[in-house]
Amino acid sequence: MAKITVDKTKCIGCGSCVALCPNTFKIVNNKSVVQKKEVKNPACEKNAEASCPVQAITVKE
Ligand code: SF4
């Protein structure tokens, strides 16, 4: 299982992670909140990690 985390101090609420992985991320009060903290196959989460403009997302396998 991969662990998904978002550093709220870095997140600027751009919504890119939500567009890529709507089941995993959700914007609440302009910050991304992780809905699914553990994911078996983190394909879209890894895309989100790479696409985040401020490197706020960590996918730990
Ligand atoms: S892609 Fe990064 S900065 Fe944008 S909402 Fe997601 S965590 Fe925040």
Side-chain angles (χ1 to χ4, degrees):
M1 291 292 254
K3 286 198 172 153
I4 319 296
T5 51
V6 168
D7 183 341
K8 278 195 185 159
T9 63
K10 289 186 185 167
C11 175
I12 54 169
C14 74
S16 169
C17 55
V18 180
L20 289 165
C21 281
N23 292 328
T24 302
F25 303 99
K26 188 180 171 190
I27 298 288
V28 178
N29 294 330
N30 270 335
K31 299 278 178 185
S32 175
V33 174
V34 182
Q35 311 281 10
K36 274 207 276 178
K37 295 189 192 312
E38 294 201 34
V39 180
K40 239 184 208 169
N41 176 14
C44 76
E45 290 81 3
K46 280 188 161 177
N47 276 340
E49 181 184 33
S51 312
C52 177
V54 292
Q55 285 85 45
I57 298 170
T58 307
V59 178
K60 226 189 242 174
E61 289 190 89

